[in-house]
Amino acid sequence: MNNTRRKELYAVAEILEKAKGANKNDIVDLIEDAKQALDTILYDEESYLDNMPENLQSSYRYQAAEDACANIECAIEALDNGDIKYAISYIYGATV
């Protein structure tokens, strides 16, 4: 994961932190915004994986990118289930 996507994930986590204390109508909008941002970040990270040279596909870097994708997918699923706390946890897991 590059620094740009990592910063974008931190920004999504901040949005979700705000959603914790927001009213019901705002929560829905904030969650939708977060999911859209996560979809974009996931797409970019998967593109990075797809374009990685074959000789690096068994490297730590490749594994870290795969793990980031898995965490982002889990964050999206958590948001689909309305679980902001777990979504934030997965987002931070993706930044490692």
Side-chain angles (χ1 to χ4, degrees), residues 50-71:
D50 292 342
N51 292 311
M52 190 173 283
E54 194 172 309
N55 64 333
L56 293 178
Q57 291 183 1
S58 61
S59 69
Y60 169 78
R61 200 177 233 179
Y62 188 87
Q63 183 61 47
E66 276 188 328
D67 292 345
C69 288
N71 277 307

Side-chain angles (χ1 to χ4, degrees), residues 63-83:
Q63 183 61 47
E66 276 188 328
D67 292 345
C69 288
N71 277 307
I72 294 169
E73 289 171 350
C74 289
I76 293 168
E77 186 177 323
L79 289 176
D80 286 339
N81 294 327
D83 196 336

Side-chain angles (χ1 to χ4, degrees), residues 30-44:
L30 291 170
I31 287 176
E32 284 304 313
D33 291 346
K35 284 174 43 178
Q36 288 176 356
L38 289 173
D39 281 335
T40 301
I41 296 165
L42 178 60
Y43 176 81
D44 291 344

Side-chain angles (χ1 to χ4, degrees), residues 19 22-31:
N23 66 45
K24 207 173 214 181
N25 293 332
D26 291 340
I27 289 174
V28 173
D29 291 338
L30 291 170
I31 287 176

